[in-house]
Amino acid sequence: MDPVLISILLATTLAGVVSITAAAVFSFTLLSKVVERMVSLSVGIMLSTSLLHALPEAFESQASARSLFGTLLGGLLAFFLLEKMAILRHSHHHEGDGHHHHHGHDKREAGKAGWMILVGDGMHNFTDGILIAAAFLANPELGLVTGLAIIAHEIPQEIGDFIVLLNAGFSRTRAYVYNLLCSLLAIAGGLLGYYTLDRASSLIPYVLVFASSGFIYIAVSDLMPQMQRRATLRETIPQVLLIALGVIIVLFLTHGH
């Protein structure tokens, strides 16, 4: 079996299992401080993976710089619209919140939100698998740091998903198993990416740029605003140090290339 394919399968499997298991541990034990620290670390890993590795790798290809910048712009706008749709779709209520719904309405709505989270997660993980495949096909080291960036981002996100699922009436075991099954769709995405992009290598730079636009958008529009809510010097210093640690981890894993 091709070593690149083995790497893709291992990375997609580990990305799912590690992120889901860590998120479950943090969610069920409510280690809020750990979650806050994870957000800061994620920012450093995601930005350095995008700006120091994925984008330079894409721009070193034969692809037109104008086309790649157009892909970056399109990706940023696409993630903005996807987030807007998600915000509209995930608006929810609570029993006794002043809205005049019949009894049990909000419990049913929470259940729908839980299943919607799982469907969205499955699609997201499938896409992550394609991105990991594109990164490994471009450069094994880039594949490694891309997998790491996805794990770092997935843990805080999956914690939020666990909270929604538990609120929707899922038991801890069901929430974990269903999330884990959804995460395994990354393997299917990785296989599709490998067999598709390996035969259409000219598409790899565009996939890398699109992936970078997602990492940059999530870091700048979602994670960093969360960090800004804690603006005291005592809270800012650990944030800056953890961002720097994320950058150092990526540089170390890629040996400075």
Side-chain angles (χ1 to χ4, degrees), residues 3 13 26 35 55 78 93 110 122 125 144 170 172 176 181 185 195 208 211 215 219 232 246:
T13 302
F26 295 151
V35 178
L55 288 176
H93 309 285
N125 292 326
L144 180 63
F170 286 68
R172 292 182 176 186
Y176 176 76
L181 290 174
L185 284 172
Y195 286 110
L208 292 179
F215 285 167
T232 65

Side-chain angles (χ1 to χ4, degrees), residues 86-170:
I87 289 171
L88 292 173
R89 188 172 66 245
H90 291 149
S91 58
H92 57 276
H93 309 285
H94 302 280
E95 298 288 358
D97 62 359
H99 296 280
H100 299 291
H101 303 307
H102 58 80
H103 183 70
H105 169 87
D106 293 309
K107 185 176 180 181
R108 268 203 308 280
E109 288 301 305
K112 290 178 185 176
W115 289 110
M116 200 175 293
I117 282 286
L118 289 172
V119 171
D121 246 5
M123 295 173 61
H124 181 82
N125 292 326
F126 184 80
T127 305
D128 284 345
I130 295 174
L131 301 182
I132 288 173
F136 270 107
L137 287 168
N139 184 321
E141 291 178 346
L142 180 58
L144 180 63
V145 295
T146 299
L148 178 65
I150 287 173
I151 290 173
H153 164 57
E154 283 293 313
I155 293 175
Q157 177 182 303
E158 293 293 349
I159 289 170
D161 290 350
F162 270 115
I163 292 169
V164 172
L165 291 175
L166 294 175
N167 185 54
F170 286 68

Side-chain angles (χ1 to χ4, degrees), residues 37-52 149 152 219 223-224 227 239-251:
R37 300 291 183 257
M38 197 70 210
V39 168
S40 301
L41 185 65
S42 297
V43 168
I45 291 175
M46 295 176 79
L47 289 180
S48 55
T49 297
S50 302
L51 299 173
L52 300 180
L223 303 183
M224 293 179 92
M227 294 161 60
Q239 290 176 345
V240 172
L241 291 175
L242 283 164
I243 291 173
L245 177 61
V247 175
I248 291 168
I249 288 172
V250 170
L251 292 175

Side-chain angles (χ1 to χ4, degrees), residues 174-196:
R174 281 183 71 207
Y176 176 76
V177 170
Y178 285 169
N179 255 322
L180 189 61
L181 290 174
C182 285
S183 76
L184 296 181
L185 284 172
I187 300 173
L191 287 170
L192 177 66
Y194 173 78
Y195 286 110
T196 302

